[in-house]
Amino acid sequence: MIASPIPTAGNPAADDESGQAAFDAVIAADSRIEPRDWMPEDYRRTLIRQISQHAHSEIIGMQPEGNWITRAPSLKRKAILLAKVQDEAGHGLYLYSAAQTLGITRDEMTRQLIDGKAKYSSIFNYPTPTWADMGAIGWLVDGAAICNQVPLCRASYGPYARAMVRICKEESFHQRQGFEILLTLMQGTDAQREMAQESVDRWYWPALMMFGPPDDESPNSARSMAWKIKRFSNDELRQRFVGMLVPQAEALGVSLPDPTLRWNAQEERYDMSEIDWTEFHEILAGRGPMNAVRIQNRRNAHEDGAWVREAAVAYARRQALKAERQVA
Ligand SMILES: [Fe+2]
Ligand SMILES: [Fe+2]
């Protein structure tokens, strides 16, 4: 037998001590943990929480933009937006599948979401009253998602990391299409430019909140970083994001709504105003402007789809019966 150069964490039957040693070796070698491997219970639980919240965010995230599909200003815009929203559904499905490899069922995750017990990204609880919001969401929200998710392509859990590779490619397209919507508006009439700026003003701060609380108030971050699920701290990612936005805002001709934002050459970071975390915590507690609507829509969609699930089960049963008869 040829010894594998890549360490693996052994099988699930491994006792805790040898399992932990093998797990630690995989993490130290920057290799991947796979579903068959032994893993600490906390690692499994953390991943289930993170991946399912991520999946829910993709699915709920279809709503703010789905709201504009029938009202997009041209056939081309409609086709692009439709493709983008469908991509988000796909992201949700890859991620639910990745979470299932950790021992939670799709039904359990769906139940947690429609019962209002699961968390998802706070950003999707804001309304989308104008067409420019499709631009600002693509540019800022998908842009923040890219900053967050590119490092996840190297996360230590194999199925999560692999799902993220494809997701990130699609997120780049989402960010470009948002940027392009804003660019078109900024080259248009005064009213269009105002609409673009007003939308950027509304989405900028919520997009910065997407990276989560400041590092000194993010108790689980250190552990996730030790497990190599997370590679950069919340504040580091926020800095990277702002660094990406500044030249792009200039190219667009929009201003970022933070009068204190400036590059601090000495500390090699951006100085910026305090984020209003009370707003963030209110939304996480379910009291954002659109929380109830988002969950109600999801619940309705699930109930409306009951006949599809029943039909699929009946069909599978009939196929199994047919196969049985053929064997007999
Ligand atoms: Fe996505
Ligand atoms: Fe996206």
Side-chain angles (χ1 to χ4, degrees):
M1 203 174 97
I2 302 163
S4 161
I6 305 162
T8 64
N11 63 53
D15 63 72
D16 280 11
E17 216 170 293
S18 65
Q20 181 72 52
F23 174 86
D24 292 344
V26 169
I27 299 293
D30 238 335
S31 191
R32 296 273 155 82
I33 299 293
E34 296 298 336
R36 63 175 181 274
D37 294 336
W38 185 93
M39 62 188 86
E41 203 38 46
D42 278 355
Y43 177 82
R44 182 192 302 276
R45 267 201 298 265
T46 298
L47 278 168
I48 288 179
R49 196 184 59 232
Q50 179 171 338
I51 302 174
S52 65
Q53 284 177 9
H54 193 162
H56 297 325
S57 302
E58 302 282 356
I59 297 298
I60 294 287
M62 295 165 74
Q63 292 185 36
E65 288 168 292
N67 174 38
W68 274 93
I69 290 172
T70 55
R71 296 179 292 155
S74 70
L75 184 60
K76 187 183 133 203
R77 292 288 183 205
K78 203 184 289 268
I80 296 171
L81 187 59
L82 196 58
K84 197 243 182 203
V85 174
Q86 282 176 332
D87 282 352
E88 306 301 3
H91 298 175
L93 297 186
Y94 308 150
L95 291 165
Y96 282 130
S97 300
Q100 279 175 279
T101 64
L102 291 156
I104 186 167
T105 65
R106 177 81 181 271
D107 278 350
E108 281 174 87
M109 289 184 277
T110 304
R111 192 41 58 209
Q112 288 167 359
L113 179 62
I114 63 180
D115 286 349
K117 289 185 185 133
K119 287 205 164 63
Y120 55 87
S121 180
S122 58
I123 195 83
F124 301 117
N125 292 311
Y126 290 91
T128 44
T130 73
W131 168 251
D133 291 341
M134 300 305 98
I137 287 182
W139 183 45
L140 296 171
V141 177
D142 291 276
I146 292 170
C147 285
N148 251 330
Q149 293 173 8
V150 166
L152 289 173
C153 297
R154 295 190 293 127
S156 58
Y157 187 59
Y160 192 29
R162 287 189 289 274
M164 291 321 300
V165 173
R166 177 149 176 196
I167 290 175
C168 283
K169 284 186 188 155
E170 292 175 348
E171 295 301 356
S172 304
F173 149 64
H174 299 170
Q175 206 235 0
R176 291 299 304 171
Q177 65 87 40
F179 183 88
E180 207 259 338
I181 290 174
L182 290 179
L183 190 63
T184 306
L185 291 173
M186 290 307 289
Q187 289 168 348
T189 62
D190 283 352
Q192 285 173 314
R193 271 193 293 278
E194 268 166 39
M195 179 167 68
Q197 182 64 57
E198 186 274 335
S199 180
V200 169
D201 290 347
R202 263 185 296 115
W203 291 95
Y204 177 75
W205 290 107
L208 289 192
M209 292 176 203
M210 286 173 69
F211 298 94
D215 292 348
D216 47 11
E217 289 165 36
S218 179
N220 295 328
S221 276
R223 203 175 55 165
S224 280
M225 283 172 84
W227 279 332
K228 294 184 180 166
I229 298 172
K230 209 172 153 77
R231 301 275 176 165
F232 300 98
S233 76
N234 297 353
D235 288 331
E236 280 170 340
L237 290 168
R238 209 172 348 254
Q239 281 285 329
R240 279 180 170 219
F241 178 56
V242 171
M244 186 182 89
L245 290 185
V246 168
Q248 292 181 0
E250 230 169 90
L252 283 172
V254 295
S255 58
L256 298 173
D258 182 357
T260 64
L261 182 66
R262 67 173 183 92
W263 176 247
N264 183 330
Q266 227 162 14
E267 291 180 30
E268 295 200 333
R269 63 194 298 282
Y270 282 93
D271 290 334
M272 48 179 103
S273 306
E274 267 305 306
I275 292 175
D276 178 6
W277 292 108
T278 28
E279 179 180 314
F280 176 76
H281 291 302
E282 276 297 289
I283 292 175
L284 277 193
R287 295 188 288 268
M290 299 297 281
N291 291 58
V293 175
R294 300 292 184 235
I295 294 298
Q296 189 57 50
N297 284 345
R298 189 70 212 101
R299 196 177 296 137
N300 293 348
H302 186 71
E303 282 162 16
D304 290 348
W307 69 273
V308 180
R309 291 188 294 278
E310 282 159 22
V313 169
Y315 180 76
R317 218 176 270 144
R318 212 166 50 206
Q319 291 302 103
L321 220 69
K322 224 194 246 172
E324 242 171 61
R325 269 194 217 120
Q326 268 164 6
V327 172

